Amino acid sequence: MGIHQFFMSMNDLERIIRCPGRFKFEEHNVAAHSWKVSQYAMFFATIEENNGATINWKSLYEKTINHDFAEIFIGDIKTPVKHASPELKQMLSHVEEKMMEKFILDEIPTEFQPIFFDRMKEGKDETIEGKLLELADKLDQVYESFAELKRGNTDPEFIHMYEIALTKILHLPLEKSIHYFREVMLKDIMEEDSSIDVKAITLKILAQ
Amino acid sequence: MGIHQFFMSMNDLERIIRCPGRFKFEEHNVAAHSWKVSQYAMFFATIEENNGATINWKSLYEKTINHDFAEIFIGDIKTPVKHASPELKQMLSHVEEKMMEKFILDEIPTEFQPIFFDRMKEGKDETIEGKLLELADKLDQVYESFAELKRGNTDPEFIHMYEIALTKILHLPLEKSIHYFREVMLKDIMEEDSSIDVKAITLKILAQ
Amino acid sequence: MGIHQFFMSMNDLERIIRCPGRFKFEEHNVAAHSWKVSQYAMFFATIEENNGATINWKSLYEKTINHDFAEIFIGDIKTPVKHASPELKQMLSHVEEKMMEKFILDEIPTEFQPIFFDRMKEGKDETIEGKLLELADKLDQVYESFAELKRGNTDPEFIHMYEIALTKILHLPLEKSIHYFREVMLKDIMEEDSSIDVKAITLKILAQ
Amino acid sequence: MGIHQFFMSMNDLERIIRCPGRFKFEEHNVAAHSWKVSQYAMFFATIEENNGATINWKSLYEKTINHDFAEIFIGDIKTPVKHASPELKQMLSHVEEKMMEKFILDEIPTEFQPIFFDRMKEGKDETIEGKLLELADKLDQVYESFAELKRGNTDPEFIHMYEIALTKILHLPLEKSIHYFREVMLKDIMEEDSSIDVKAITLKILAQ
Amino acid sequence: MGIHQFFMSMNDLERIIRCPGRFKFEEHNVAAHSWKVSQYAMFFATIEENNGATINWKSLYEKTINHDFAEIFIGDIKTPVKHASPELKQMLSHVEEKMMEKFILDEIPTEFQPIFFDRMKEGKDETIEGKLLELADKLDQVYESFAELKRGNTDPEFIHMYEIALTKILHLPLEKSIHYFREVMLKDIMEEDSSIDVKAITLKILAQ
Amino acid sequence: MGIHQFFMSMNDLERIIRCPGRFKFEEHNVAAHSWKVSQYAMFFATIEENNGATINWKSLYEKTINHDFAEIFIGDIKTPVKHASPELKQMLSHVEEKMMEKFILDEIPTEFQPIFFDRMKEGKDETIEGKLLELADKLDQVYESFAELKRGNTDPEFIHMYEIALTKILHLPLEKSIHYFREVMLKDIMEEDSSIDVKAITLKILAQ
């Protein structure tokens, strides 16, 4: 019914746990995840900018902090959806979109509705900011699964998550960022002590 | 991959929190909820049996312990869905059903698949056991929201939940059970100390 | 004071933690445990029924969901008691029984007292349902300890728990169920990745 | 098996929750409780000493930090036991004592056994240190229940706990300490904002 | 030792709890707080931009997501410091600054050090972005304390926090934002049900 | 404003977590830590007394239960401070001292202020009780880090903590206590199963 309600609803994202239902040594909420994504994206945007790209910082800021807002409606369900069909995945995206639409029409004052429709739409588009969001979002999956594997979580879900997210990152069309990630950061990741052999998993992916 | 995998997946329901995203003084997981539902249903089935009804205890047992198993796929999302359209609600049920189907075909040995398809289907049908499940499931919403209101949770969501669940119970075609609930138990509920005035809310519903 | 009080007291079992005092990577409450036991028992009862046994489903339902209700009085204390003498164990059972008796006389309406005395009595008797309860209860100890060992819990208590529960299961007079457990499920258990070598522990027990 | 095992077992008391099974806004473990008791006791012993009493500080130190050590065996069960009979209460004390005895004989090196038998015996005796322990232990019940009542916990258990503990304190034969508690501290307690009317409850007890 | 270490350290902020030591019905970590601050700031920056101001979105993005990074060193200690002297407050700021400096020199690659020194410095300067950060940071204190007061937290600390943060907001030189906050949002806040009378507290502040 | 406020503030130490910000499989609060320190100190004081030393039990009691009280002001920050300079460490000690002073002057009745100034001052002095406090405090760091290493925590911080605390203990001028610790207890520690090779780390330290 207004911006106050919108601000209060942000608190809900502190209670939405990522990867719900799986055993994790450490839980992460969607609010904290959004902050980490905004940090990763800022770093890689800096690399791109230093290498001559033009960054629309307002757009990157909007995309990163809003990209998971729709999870206040049905939570974080991507992992089990991956086990289901693309058709189901699409149906769920559609449900989320419709709920977001309904939320903006019901809760946001008319004067701000166009801005919210713009900010809350899917951010992973073909712009450089959309690609940086994709990189940052996948990087947080890499770090979340890496942390579980380091501590000895034997749930194969986290190996899958690490493999899929890492593979997607390595194929992203952000040459300078991916180069830095692969040549510098991935080496540091592989050097860390880890209960489950993350180095071997990483080398296998790099070899593909 | 087998019954071992099915048994392991039950552990996931201990990590699925009911009413996710809302502030609650006390959280409840879906496994514990299922146990409470099986207790409520047994009590009211006893009342119905004592009054001449025939209870299929195997069916009641199956219905109560399995009724929320599908929440391992997309969690407990009913509350926000209530704010959305019936069309979206139906789409989500369809998604859940498809995932359950896929799970049984992928994980349960062929010899047990017919039994699982039967047990995991929607239990709230027109049989007396289906109605007892509906009563028990709504009663747990009454108790969960009552506990929050007693302790002073001012989120209007819990008043809604209490009102809607109580109204549904009072209209269920289980004459003896509802009589006992209304004449005995509801009076005890209204006599409890409560931060938020549950007695007034209840009397308003009874007056309708 | 009535059924309402009885239903409210069920909430207490969501706060009673199994194996209190020991370090665990994941805690389990008695309500969720009771639900898992009712699921395991239903599965093995189905196997027995498919092989010609007659199952009293009402009795199995009653036994499984009520078997740990008395833990609302003194919690889950079996583990430390195992370190003590059988005499102390018997004294504690006696205390629990007396408290249950007092609870029924004080809280349950007279008309329902006979039913509650019947349902709340020790369920692990010589009937097939009593044996299925014993199997299901021990199986949850197997799964709880297995989950800790997988994740690298070095507390020897969990190795003891696994060994003792598994040994008891293998000696239960439920031929078809134990055959299925030993030949199918235990093989799946041994194939899982585990920080502590559960396969070796299992093979040693099978060899005895 | 040795002092190392004894020191490791102390960690268990950090996982034993006081008043298990009841809903509380804030949980307290037995280790932290023991520390608070040792603080309260030191303060009142100072008052007594300042008024001419002789305090055996070594004894007070031993009594306060060890008084709940036996809870590693069967946890904190006093509250439900109070609802049961004195006979059951006595049986449980006996069980606890036997377990403590067994623990010392099994785990503590022979050279230290006499010291441990002395330190681990019931501390609430007729010495001034025993009375100070009783005062301090009851005072922590007053503070634990007061904190729940302040925050609006409507469970009548906490009103009982407050009333019983406060009444016991007011009748303790520690004239100077009780005078200070009644004339100074209790007035501060009654002046605090509280959801549930602690002042009225307190005045009723003082009037008796 | 590199950007990987910097990214890993961000996880630490998910474990730093705001207002440590005080009782809260709900805890907030610094990572989630930073995300909420970045959301509030974006909204008010939009209002300012719509009213003719020029916003440096890159700067606002940097300021909001980094403003509490230094809390990885000594946590969130402002509340108790407010009870102490300004001199101590200044000493602590100095300690934090020195640790931040040391962290950048030790952990961040030389090529990125100038950027990090710039981003990690105190953000609440005299620019419009600095003022928007101040507004957003104080607004989160308003929301955190408001949520506690709504639920009946009687700790006077939260009334203080609400009063001080609200007063600071009302005096910020951001005319359009503060106008919107005061005339629209604050009215919605005062209309909410609340255990502790937030409306009265708010009106008293507005009257000053 | 009085002893009641002082007793209430003790509750805050149950909410101050040791080693904040680092991932731990198990958290410890400062209240429970203080209790464990008082237990270790009593044991080693007994060894010293049995070997002819004179123990001031009142002093030891005071020192152990009060040694971390000042953490109610700025929490447990020693770990990150170790990464910083001795100068910063000293500045923080000074801040803590000033806050303690202010607290006593503001909250403690005048008649008790001299006692509190005495009890709350740094306890690790050159007396035998001061050395026993140092031993006990370091021993709890040994046990806390050992527990993390046993369970597979790969954060190198816990190896550092174990090494530094153990080294300090081995050099303490408490001949009999250290002899017992080294010859008896450390051998038991090295014999425990541990995910990370604590035996090797320990032997390396002993060899220095």
Side-chain angles (χ1 to χ4, degrees):
Chain A
M1 317 246 171
I3 296 301
H4 166 59
Q5 284 308 316
F6 168 65
F7 283 174
M8 293 282 278
S9 74
M10 281 162 38
N11 188 193
D12 293 5
L13 283 187
E14 293 180 86
R15 303 186 203 104
I16 301 286
I17 297 305
R18 283 169 59 82
C19 242
R22 317 301 305 205
F23 171 78
K24 283 148 299 217
F25 287 117
E26 184 170 30
E27 294 198 329
H28 304 277
N29 67 51
V30 175
H33 158 73
S34 297
W35 173 71
K36 288 184 290 181
V37 164
S38 72
Q39 284 276 5
Y40 305 139
M42 179 177 283
F43 176 74
F44 288 109
T46 303
I47 286 194
E48 297 294 331
E49 197 178 53
N50 288 352
N51 284 278
T54 303
I55 303 295
N56 180 338
W57 289 96
K58 185 184 181 187
S59 167
L60 189 66
Y61 181 9
E62 287 176 349
K63 279 174 188 291
T64 52
I65 70 174
N66 291 318
H67 80 287
D68 270 346
F69 194 85
E71 296 200 357
I72 62 165
F73 305 118
I74 48 173
D76 184 50
I77 54 167
K78 276 157 208 100
T79 305
V81 170
K82 265 184 271 168
H83 297 163
S85 66
E87 185 207 347
L88 291 179
K89 200 171 176 175
Q90 201 183 0
M91 282 174 69
L92 279 163
S93 291
H94 186 58
V95 169
E96 232 177 36
E97 230 171 80
K98 287 284 174 195
M99 283 177 169
M100 194 73 232
E101 194 182 305
K102 192 170 158 27
F103 175 81
I104 293 174
L105 294 174
D106 291 359
E107 303 285 345
I108 302 298
T110 323
E111 54 180 324
F112 298 112
Q113 286 183 5
I115 289 168
F116 275 78
F117 273 115
D118 192 54
R119 282 186 187 158
M120 295 301 179
K121 69 166 193 267
E122 174 55 45
K124 292 175 184 168
D125 53 27
E126 286 309 300
T127 61
I128 190 166
E129 296 80 21
K131 285 171 203 158
L132 285 162
L133 168 59
E134 177 73 8
L135 166 55
D137 198 25
K138 288 293 165 291
L139 187 56
D140 205 43
Q141 288 197 323
V142 164
Y143 273 117
E144 282 186 13
S145 51
F146 175 56
E148 291 301 314
L149 298 172
K150 259 180 85 76
R151 292 163 192 157
N153 191 330
T154 56
D155 185 341
E157 195 64 41
F158 292 102
I159 297 182
H160 293 164
M161 190 192 289
Y162 182 83
E163 289 172 338
I164 291 168
L166 183 55
T167 303
K168 281 203 185 144
I169 287 172
L170 295 171
H171 289 86
L172 277 175
L174 287 165
E175 197 190 337
K176 300 298 179 186
S177 296
I178 305 312
H179 180 79
Y180 191 84
F181 172 74
R182 181 201 282 261
E183 299 307 320
V184 181
M185 293 172 57
L186 209 45
K187 281 175 182 157
D188 288 347
I189 289 176
M190 285 190 283
E191 266 171 34
E192 293 227 9
D193 285 332
S194 175
S195 292
I196 286 162
D197 192 348
V198 171
K199 187 174 181 176
I201 299 169
T202 306
L203 288 173
K204 209 182 64 190
I205 291 170
L206 286 172
Q208 281 164 1
Chain B
M1 319 233 171
I3 296 303
H4 167 60
Q5 285 307 317
F6 168 65
F7 283 175
M8 294 281 279
S9 74
M10 282 164 39
N11 188 194
D12 293 4
L13 283 186
E14 294 180 85
R15 302 184 205 107
I16 301 286
I17 298 305
R18 282 168 60 82
C19 243
R22 317 301 305 203
F23 171 78
K24 284 149 296 214
F25 288 117
E26 184 171 30
E27 294 199 327
H28 303 278
N29 66 50
V30 176
H33 158 73
S34 297
W35 173 72
K36 288 184 290 181
V37 164
S38 72
Q39 285 276 5
Y40 305 138
M42 180 177 281
F43 175 74
F44 288 109
T46 303
I47 284 193
E48 297 294 330
E49 196 179 54
N50 287 353
N51 283 278
T54 303
I55 303 296
N56 179 339
W57 290 96
K58 185 184 180 187
S59 167
L60 190 66
Y61 180 9
E62 287 175 348
K63 279 175 187 291
T64 52
I65 68 173
N66 291 319
H67 80 286
D68 271 346
F69 194 84
E71 296 200 359
I72 60 165
F73 306 118
I74 48 174
D76 184 50
I77 54 166
K78 276 156 210 101
T79 305
V81 170
K82 263 184 271 168
H83 295 165
S85 66
E87 187 207 345
L88 291 179
K89 200 173 176 173
Q90 202 183 357
M91 281 174 68
L92 279 163
S93 293
H94 186 58
V95 169
E96 230 178 40
E97 229 171 81
K98 286 286 172 192
M99 283 177 169
M100 192 75 232
E101 195 181 305
K102 191 169 158 30
F103 175 80
I104 294 174
L105 294 173
D106 291 0
E107 304 284 347
I108 303 298
T110 323
E111 54 179 324
F112 297 113
Q113 286 184 5
I115 289 168
F116 275 78
F117 273 115
D118 192 53
R119 282 184 187 160
M120 294 302 178
K121 71 166 191 267
E122 173 56 44
K124 291 175 184 170
D125 55 24
E126 285 309 299
T127 63
I128 191 166
E129 295 81 21
K131 288 170 201 157
L132 286 162
L133 168 59
E134 177 73 8
L135 167 55
D137 198 24
K138 288 292 167 291
L139 188 55
D140 205 42
Q141 289 197 321
V142 164
Y143 274 118
E144 282 186 13
S145 51
F146 175 57
E148 292 301 313
L149 298 172
K150 257 180 88 77
R151 290 163 193 159
N153 191 330
T154 56
D155 184 342
E157 194 64 40
F158 292 102
I159 297 184
H160 294 163
M161 190 192 287
Y162 182 82
E163 289 172 339
I164 291 168
L166 183 56
T167 303
K168 281 202 185 146
I169 287 173
L170 294 171
H171 289 88
L172 278 175
L174 286 165
E175 197 191 339
K176 300 299 179 187
S177 297
I178 305 310
H179 180 79
Y180 190 84
F181 172 74
R182 180 201 283 261
E183 300 306 320
V184 181
M185 291 172 59
L186 209 47
K187 282 175 181 156
D188 288 349
I189 288 175
M190 285 189 285
E191 267 172 32
E192 293 228 9
D193 286 331
S194 175
S195 293
I196 286 163
D197 192 347
V198 171
K199 188 175 181 176
I201 299 169
T202 307
L203 288 173
K204 209 181 63 188
I205 292 171
L206 286 172
Q208 281 163 359
Chain C
M1 316 230 172
I3 297 303
H4 166 61
Q5 284 307 317
F6 167 64
F7 282 175
M8 293 282 278
S9 74
M10 281 161 40
N11 187 194
D12 293 5
L13 284 186
E14 294 179 85
R15 302 185 204 105
I16 301 287
I17 297 305
R18 283 168 59 82
C19 241
R22 317 302 303 204
F23 172 78
K24 285 148 298 216
F25 288 116
E26 184 170 30
E27 294 199 328
H28 303 277
N29 67 51
V30 176
H33 158 74
S34 297
W35 172 72
K36 288 184 289 180
V37 164
S38 72
Q39 284 276 5
Y40 305 138
M42 180 177 282
F43 176 75
F44 288 108
T46 303
I47 285 193
E48 296 295 330
E49 197 178 53
N50 288 351
N51 283 279
T54 301
I55 303 297
N56 180 338
W57 290 97
K58 185 184 181 187
S59 166
L60 189 66
Y61 181 9
E62 287 175 348
K63 279 175 188 291
T64 52
I65 69 174
N66 291 319
H67 80 286
D68 271 346
F69 194 86
E71 296 199 358
I72 63 165
F73 306 118
I74 47 173
D76 183 51
I77 52 166
K78 276 152 210 105
T79 306
V81 169
K82 264 183 272 171
H83 297 164
S85 66
E87 185 207 346
L88 291 179
K89 201 172 174 173
Q90 202 183 358
M91 282 174 69
L92 278 163
S93 291
H94 186 57
V95 169
E96 232 179 35
E97 231 172 78
K98 285 285 175 197
M99 282 179 169
M100 193 75 232
E101 195 182 305
K102 190 168 160 29
F103 175 81
I104 293 174
L105 294 173
D106 291 359
E107 303 285 345
I108 303 296
T110 323
E111 55 179 322
F112 298 112
Q113 286 183 5
I115 289 168
F116 275 80
F117 273 115
D118 193 53
R119 283 189 185 156
M120 295 300 179
K121 69 167 193 264
E122 172 56 44
K124 292 176 183 169
D125 54 25
E126 285 309 300
T127 62
I128 189 166
E129 295 80 21
K131 288 171 202 155
L132 285 162
L133 169 59
E134 176 74 8
L135 165 55
D137 199 24
K138 289 291 165 295
L139 186 56
D140 205 43
Q141 289 197 322
V142 164
Y143 274 117
E144 281 186 13
S145 51
F146 174 56
E148 292 301 314
L149 299 172
K150 258 179 86 75
R151 291 165 192 156
N153 192 330
T154 56
D155 184 341
E157 194 63 39
F158 292 101
I159 296 182
H160 294 163
M161 189 192 291
Y162 182 83
E163 289 171 339
I164 291 168
L166 182 56
T167 304
K168 281 202 185 144
I169 287 172
L170 294 171
H171 289 86
L172 279 174
L174 286 164
E175 194 190 340
K176 300 299 179 186
S177 296
I178 305 311
H179 179 79
Y180 190 84
F181 172 74
R182 180 201 283 260
E183 300 305 321
V184 181
M185 292 172 60
L186 209 47
K187 283 175 179 155
D188 288 347
I189 288 174
M190 285 190 284
E191 268 171 32
E192 293 227 9
D193 286 331
S194 175
S195 292
I196 286 162
D197 192 348
V198 171
K199 187 174 182 176
I201 300 169
T202 307
L203 288 173
K204 209 182 63 189
I205 292 170
L206 286 172
Q208 281 164 0
Chain D
M1 314 232 174
I3 296 303
H4 166 60
Q5 285 307 316
F6 168 65
F7 282 175
M8 293 282 278
S9 74
M10 281 163 40
N11 188 191
D12 293 4
L13 282 187
E14 295 180 84
R15 302 185 205 106
I16 301 286
I17 297 305
R18 282 169 59 82
C19 243
R22 317 301 304 202
F23 172 78
K24 283 146 299 211
F25 288 117
E26 184 169 30
E27 295 199 326
H28 303 277
N29 67 50
V30 176
H33 157 75
S34 297
W35 173 72
K36 288 184 290 181
V37 164
S38 72
Q39 284 276 5
Y40 306 138
M42 179 176 283
F43 175 76
F44 289 109
T46 303
I47 284 192
E48 297 293 332
E49 197 178 51
N50 288 352
N51 283 279
T54 303
I55 304 296
N56 179 339
W57 290 96
K58 184 183 181 188
S59 168
L60 190 66
Y61 180 10
E62 286 176 349
K63 279 176 187 290
T64 54
I65 69 173
N66 290 320
H67 80 286
D68 272 344
F69 193 85
E71 296 201 359
I72 61 163
F73 306 119
I74 48 174
D76 183 51
I77 53 167
K78 277 157 208 102
T79 305
V81 169
K82 263 184 272 171
H83 296 164
S85 66
E87 185 207 347
L88 291 179
K89 201 171 173 175
Q90 202 183 359
M91 282 173 68
L92 278 163
S93 292
H94 186 58
V95 170
E96 232 177 37
E97 230 172 80
K98 286 284 172 196
M99 282 177 169
M100 194 73 233
E101 196 181 303
K102 191 170 158 30
F103 175 81
I104 293 173
L105 295 173
D106 291 359
E107 304 284 346
I108 303 297
T110 322
E111 53 179 326
F112 298 112
Q113 286 184 5
I115 290 169
F116 275 79
F117 273 115
D118 192 53
R119 284 188 185 158
M120 295 301 179
K121 72 165 189 265
E122 174 55 44
K124 293 175 183 169
D125 54 26
E126 286 310 299
T127 62
I128 190 166
E129 296 80 20
K131 288 171 202 156
L132 285 163
L133 168 60
E134 177 73 8
L135 167 55
D137 198 24
K138 288 291 166 291
L139 187 56
D140 205 42
Q141 288 197 322
V142 164
Y143 274 118
E144 281 186 13
S145 50
F146 174 56
E148 291 301 313
L149 298 173
K150 257 179 88 76
R151 291 163 192 159
N153 192 331
T154 57
D155 185 341
E157 194 64 41
F158 291 102
I159 296 182
H160 294 164
M161 190 192 288
Y162 182 83
E163 289 172 338
I164 292 169
L166 183 55
T167 304
K168 281 202 185 145
I169 287 173
L170 294 171
H171 290 87
L172 278 174
L174 286 165
E175 196 190 339
K176 301 298 180 187
S177 296
I178 305 308
H179 179 79
Y180 190 83
F181 172 74
R182 181 201 281 261
E183 299 306 320
V184 181
M185 292 172 58
L186 209 46
K187 282 175 180 155
D188 288 347
I189 289 175
M190 285 190 283
E191 267 172 33
E192 294 228 7
D193 286 331
S194 174
S195 292
I196 286 162
D197 192 349
V198 171
K199 186 174 183 176
I201 299 169
T202 307
L203 288 173
K204 212 182 61 191
I205 292 171
L206 286 171
Q208 280 164 1
Chain E
M1 319 234 171
I3 296 302
H4 166 61
Q5 284 308 316
F6 168 64
F7 283 175
M8 294 282 279
S9 75
M10 282 163 39
N11 189 192
D12 292 5
L13 283 187
E14 295 180 85
R15 303 185 203 105
I16 300 288
I17 297 306
R18 282 168 59 82
C19 242
R22 318 301 304 203
F23 172 77
K24 285 147 299 215
F25 288 117
E26 185 169 30
E27 296 198 327
H28 303 278
N29 66 50
V30 176
H33 158 74
S34 297
W35 173 73
K36 289 185 289 181
V37 164
S38 71
Q39 284 277 3
Y40 305 139
M42 179 177 283
F43 176 75
F44 289 108
T46 303
I47 284 193
E48 297 294 330
E49 196 178 53
N50 287 351
N51 283 278
T54 303
I55 303 297
N56 179 338
W57 290 97
K58 186 184 180 187
S59 168
L60 190 66
Y61 180 9
E62 287 176 348
K63 279 175 188 291
T64 53
I65 69 173
N66 290 320
H67 79 286
D68 271 347
F69 194 84
E71 296 200 357
I72 62 165
F73 305 118
I74 48 174
D76 183 51
I77 52 166
K78 274 149 212 108
T79 304
V81 170
K82 266 183 272 173
H83 297 165
S85 66
E87 185 208 344
L88 291 178
K89 201 172 174 172
Q90 202 183 359
M91 282 174 69
L92 279 162
S93 292
H94 186 57
V95 169
E96 232 178 38
E97 230 170 81
K98 285 284 174 199
M99 282 177 169
M100 194 74 232
E101 194 181 306
K102 192 169 157 28
F103 175 80
I104 293 173
L105 294 173
D106 291 0
E107 304 285 345
I108 303 298
T110 322
E111 53 179 325
F112 298 112
Q113 286 183 4
I115 290 168
F116 275 79
F117 272 114
D118 192 55
R119 283 190 185 155
M120 295 301 179
K121 71 166 189 265
E122 173 57 45
K124 292 174 184 172
D125 54 28
E126 285 309 299
T127 62
I128 190 165
E129 296 79 23
K131 289 170 201 157
L132 285 162
L133 169 59
E134 177 73 7
L135 166 55
D137 199 24
K138 287 294 166 288
L139 187 55
D140 205 42
Q141 287 196 324
V142 165
Y143 273 118
E144 282 186 13
S145 51
F146 174 56
E148 290 302 311
L149 299 172
K150 258 179 86 75
R151 291 162 192 158
N153 192 331
T154 57
D155 185 341
E157 193 64 40
F158 292 102
I159 296 182
H160 294 164
M161 189 192 290
Y162 182 82
E163 290 172 337
I164 292 168
L166 183 55
T167 303
K168 280 201 186 146
I169 287 173
L170 294 171
H171 290 85
L172 278 175
L174 287 165
E175 195 191 339
K176 300 299 177 184
S177 295
I178 305 310
H179 179 79
Y180 190 84
F181 173 73
R182 180 201 282 259
E183 299 306 319
V184 181
M185 291 174 58
L186 208 48
K187 282 175 181 155
D188 288 347
I189 287 175
M190 285 190 283
E191 267 172 32
E192 293 227 10
D193 286 332
S194 175
S195 292
I196 285 162
D197 193 347
V198 171
K199 188 175 181 174
I201 300 168
T202 306
L203 288 174
K204 210 181 63 190
I205 292 170
L206 285 172
Q208 283 163 358
Chain F
M1 315 251 173
I3 297 303
H4 166 61
Q5 285 307 316
F6 168 65
F7 282 176
M8 294 282 278
S9 74
M10 281 161 41
N11 189 192
D12 294 4
L13 283 186
E14 294 179 86
R15 303 186 203 105
I16 300 287
I17 298 305
R18 283 167 59 81
C19 241
R22 317 301 304 203
F23 172 78
K24 285 148 297 216
F25 288 116
E26 184 170 30
E27 294 198 328
H28 303 277
N29 67 51
V30 175
H33 158 73
S34 296
W35 173 72
K36 289 184 290 180
V37 164
S38 72
Q39 285 276 4
Y40 305 139
M42 180 177 282
F43 176 74
F44 288 108
T46 304
I47 284 193
E48 297 294 331
E49 197 179 53
N50 287 352
N51 283 280
T54 303
I55 303 295
N56 180 338
W57 290 96
K58 184 184 181 188
S59 168
L60 189 65
Y61 180 9
E62 287 175 347
K63 279 175 187 292
T64 53
I65 71 173
N66 291 320
H67 80 286
D68 271 345
F69 193 85
E71 297 201 358
I72 62 164
F73 306 118
I74 47 173
D76 183 51
I77 52 165
K78 275 154 210 103
T79 305
V81 170
K82 264 183 272 168
H83 297 163
S85 66
E87 185 208 346
L88 291 178
K89 202 172 173 175
Q90 202 182 357
M91 282 174 68
L92 280 163
S93 292
H94 186 58
V95 170
E96 233 178 36
E97 231 170 78
K98 284 286 172 195
M99 283 177 169
M100 194 73 233
E101 195 181 304
K102 191 168 158 32
F103 175 81
I104 293 174
L105 294 173
D106 290 358
E107 305 284 347
I108 302 297
T110 323
E111 56 180 321
F112 298 113
Q113 286 182 7
I115 289 168
F116 275 79
F117 273 114
D118 192 54
R119 282 187 187 159
M120 296 301 179
K121 69 166 193 264
E122 174 56 45
K124 292 175 183 170
D125 54 25
E126 285 309 299
T127 63
I128 190 166
E129 296 81 19
K131 287 171 201 155
L132 284 162
L133 169 59
E134 176 74 7
L135 166 55
D137 198 24
K138 287 293 165 291
L139 187 55
D140 205 41
Q141 288 197 323
V142 164
Y143 273 118
E144 281 186 13
S145 52
F146 174 56
E148 292 300 313
L149 298 173
K150 259 180 86 75
R151 291 162 192 158
N153 192 331
T154 56
D155 185 341
E157 194 64 41
F158 292 102
I159 296 183
H160 295 164
M161 189 192 289
Y162 182 83
E163 290 172 339
I164 292 169
L166 183 55
T167 304
K168 281 201 185 146
I169 288 174
L170 295 172
H171 290 86
L172 279 173
L174 287 165
E175 194 192 341
K176 299 299 179 185
S177 296
I178 305 309
H179 180 79
Y180 191 84
F181 172 74
R182 181 200 282 261
E183 299 306 320
V184 182
M185 292 173 59
L186 209 46
K187 281 173 182 159
D188 287 347
I189 288 174
M190 284 190 283
E191 266 172 33
E192 293 228 8
D193 286 330
S194 176
S195 292
I196 287 161
D197 192 348
V198 171
K199 187 173 182 177
I201 300 168
T202 307
L203 289 173
K204 210 181 62 189
I205 292 169
L206 287 171
Q208 282 164 358

